[in-house]
Amino acid sequence: MLWTLKKKLYRTQHQVMKVASAILPFPIPVLLTGPGSVGKLAENIRVRGLKHVMVVTDKVLMELNLADGLLESLTDNGISYTIYDKVQPNPTIQNVEDGRKLYKKKKCDSLIGFGGGSPIDCAKIIGARISNPYLSVKRMKGLFRVILPTPPLFCVPTTAGTGSETTVAAVISDPDTHEKFAISDLKLIPKIAVLDPELMVGLPPHITSTTGMDALTHAVEAYIGLNGNAFTDENAENATRLIFENLEKVYTKGSDLKARNNMALASFYGGAAFTRAYVGYVHAIAHNMGGMYGVPHGLANAIILPHVLEFCQKEAEKKLAKLALAGGIGKEGDSEEDLADKFIKKIKEMNKKMKIPTTIKELKEKDIPLIAKRALDEAHPDYPVPRIMTLEECESLIRKLLP
Ligand SMILES: NC(=O)c1ccc[n+]([C@@H]2O[C@H](COP(=O)([O-])OP(=O)(O)OC[C@H]3O[C@@H](n4cnc5c(N)ncnc54)[C@H](O)[C@@H]3O)[C@@H](O)[C@H]2O)c1
Ligand SMILES: [Fe+2]
């Protein structure tokens, strides 16, 4: 009885959020796309009158000299820069605070997030802390808690990916509690996003595959959730088609620039879809695998996705069937049941071909109740999932991921 009432309340909130996301003024970043496009960012920053930018990135990318072209073009355009490269994968509150101190010390006036989702998210939250010094990172958790506008932010993704270059979200971990949570606010959407496939050709196969499956998860969760609209559906369909056509290509041949470009676009489209239509249980559970054990986000999503789709297959059948056709799976005239089946099989096959495991090796039975509780706390009531999960159902789904 209480559970039925709770579900009704969640659905009421989903309806309110659906209206809100249709009318909210989501800014769309200016896009610089194609091979070499990173070289055009500096002049776009210069014309905005900015003088000293902080480049937020990580050590691996600095060692690969991936940002060299960007840094040179900043200098050529008379823009000085400070590099903050201590961002960890699954970035922490400490990473944000260290970056914020450096930003203030060097008197920076803007931010470039250069890297995968980790540096981009870290840059977003550094910006939020700079303009809202009285709000701690934890206080900004959730929806629309960033009060004052953040410094100008420009994003250069080097994975494809999180889509963070166009989303309201930034995800951060608290190592003290092993929690990972999102801060979501329109003010976190970057001014400019650069989609340059040349930066992605050296991405190792195992990161290529798992980050690509993150992008697919965004498209799928946005599409089967109840808060989609024509705009998010179109973006999710385009992302899915591009990922089905290109992800295995870039996994086997990382230097395929055209396929890398298509994956960068797919990631952006996936981000455009989910930032308006939200994600679902795959993300809620994956965030906790990241917070609890440091499991890379895309890897966790790839493993969890087929299980969540099987859980809601009946409720999401119509949408899964449509997405299958949009992604080039099956043919018109196949039954919806068949198409939904084929869609889930396709994901399992892609995982297998790209050597993505079926279990999470760090997962421990004793942690399952806490992970399930935290995942549902994250998902309810915000995520407009096609089928609402009980705690028991969530625990038994997570149990299937045990090594
Ligand atoms: N803000 C959002 O909307 C959003 C959406 C999904 C996920 N996320 C978050 O993003 C984070 C994950 O981001 P990610 O999956 O892009 O991974 P990441 O940024 O953590 O990078 C993973 C690894 O790949 C390396 N790498 C990145 N680009 C490379 C390149 N071109 N060549 C070689 N190595 C490269 C990095 O140095 C790092 O070691 C998680 O914290 C996740 O929760 C955010
Ligand atoms: Fe994601």
Side-chain angles (χ1 to χ4, degrees), residues 208 240-252 256 258-263 266:
T208 297
T240 303
R241 180 178 45 77
L242 287 171
I243 293 165
F244 283 171
E245 287 172 0
N246 295 282
L247 181 53
E248 286 171 63
K249 277 190 199 164
V250 288
Y251 173 75
T252 47
D256 184 336
K258 190 157 181 259
R260 286 282 187 197
N261 196 51
N262 285 334
M263 280 305 300

Side-chain angles (χ1 to χ4, degrees), residues 281 285 368 371-373 375-376 389-399:
Y281 290 127
I285 299 169
I368 291 176
I371 294 174
K373 182 187 175 301
L376 294 193
M389 224 179 242
T390 63
L391 189 62
E392 295 70 36
E393 286 166 338
C394 191
E395 286 184 8
S396 74
L397 190 151
I398 297 171
R399 211 156 273 123

Side-chain angles (χ1 to χ4, degrees), residues 58 60-61 64 66 88-91 115-119 121 124 158-159 161-164 167-171 180 199-204 207 211 214 218 274 283 287 297-298:
D58 66 38
V60 174
L61 301 180
L64 291 171
L66 208 64
Q88 298 161 239
N90 288 325
S118 298
D121 285 3
K124 285 180 170 181
T158 62
T159 62
T162 67
S164 183
T167 71
V168 294
V171 192
K180 190 171 181 186
L199 299 171
M200 299 173 187
V201 293
L203 192 67
I207 307 180
T211 48
D214 182 25
H218 296 153
F274 94 78
H283 271 78
H287 286 154
H297 177 70

Side-chain angles (χ1 to χ4, degrees), residues 20 77 138 149 182 196 225 232 250 267 290 344 392:
N77 279 276
K138 284 187 194 175
D196 186 339
T232 61
V250 288
S267 170
I344 300 173
E392 295 70 36

Side-chain angles (χ1 to χ4, degrees), residues 20-315:
S21 82
I23 55 177
L24 276 172
F26 278 85
I28 297 181
V30 172
L31 269 185
L32 303 175
T33 58
S37 52
V38 72
K40 295 184 216 141
L41 179 59
E43 58 184 279
N44 279 276
I45 296 178
R46 175 174 51 80
V47 297
R48 288 165 186 258
L50 299 162
K51 301 277 184 250
H52 191 141
V53 63
M54 185 159 94
V55 180
V56 180
T57 186
D58 66 38
K59 281 250 158 27
V60 174
L61 301 180
M62 287 309 288
E63 272 158 27
L64 291 171
N65 299 319
L66 208 64
D68 282 6
L70 169 67
L71 301 177
E72 266 168 41
S73 65
L74 286 171
T75 307
D76 292 347
N77 279 276
I79 302 165
S80 48
Y81 58 83
T82 292
I83 296 173
Y84 173 63
D85 66 0
K86 296 195 177 55
V87 182
Q88 298 161 239
N90 288 325
T92 64
I93 296 176
Q94 193 59 48
N95 292 160
V96 171
E97 295 308 328
D98 292 345
R100 178 175 75 99
K101 277 185 207 132
L102 188 64
Y103 183 104
K104 287 193 72 168
K105 186 170 157 205
K106 298 288 183 176
K107 300 192 168 52
C108 302
D109 57 16
S110 48
L111 289 149
I112 298 178
F114 183 94
S118 298
I120 293 180
D121 285 3
C122 194
K124 285 180 170 181
I125 308 178
I126 290 171
R129 286 281 290 132
I130 287 292
S131 50
N132 297 273
Y134 301 108
L135 294 176
S136 68
V137 174
K138 284 187 194 175
R139 279 281 299 280
M140 292 188 279
K141 173 179 172 177
L143 288 175
F144 309 126
R145 304 269 165 81
V146 181
I147 296 175
L148 295 171
T150 55
L153 168 71
F154 311 97
C155 289
V156 186
T158 62
T159 62
T162 67
S164 183
E165 68 277 8
T166 187
T167 71
V168 294
V171 192
I172 192 80
S173 294
D174 180 351
D176 295 337
T177 59
H178 298 287
E179 275 176 293
K180 190 171 181 186
F181 59 89
I183 297 174
S184 298
D185 198 290
L186 294 174
K187 299 178 197 77
L188 299 184
I189 297 179
K191 297 271 177 277
I192 299 177
V194 180
L195 306 182
D196 186 339
E198 283 179 357
L199 299 171
M200 299 173 187
V201 293
L203 192 67
H206 71 284
I207 307 180
T208 297
S209 58
T210 50
T211 48
M213 291 310 278
D214 182 25
L216 181 65
T217 308
H218 296 153
V220 176
E221 293 210 289
Y223 199 77
I224 64 172
L226 306 189
N227 279 20
N229 54 40
F231 177 86
T232 61
D233 279 0
E234 189 185 342
N235 275 279
E237 287 175 0
N238 284 335
T240 303
R241 180 178 45 77
L242 287 171
I243 293 165
F244 283 171
E245 287 172 0
N246 295 282
L247 181 53
E248 286 171 63
K249 277 190 199 164
V250 288
Y251 173 75
T252 47
K253 188 171 175 236
S255 59
D256 184 336
L257 210 56
K258 190 157 181 259
R260 286 282 187 197
N261 196 51
N262 285 334
M263 280 305 300
L265 290 170
S267 170
F268 184 85
Y269 296 148
F274 94 78
T275 198
R276 293 162 178 81
Y278 300 91
V279 283
Y281 290 127
V282 184
H283 271 78
I285 299 169
H287 286 154
N288 284 285
M289 297 300 171
M292 193 71 98
Y293 309 117
V295 181
H297 177 70
L299 175 63
N301 276 338
I303 299 171
I304 300 164
L305 179 59
H307 292 283
V308 171
L309 292 184
E310 279 167 353
F311 171 78
C312 64
Q313 186 166 350
K314 207 165 120 267
E315 292 73 8

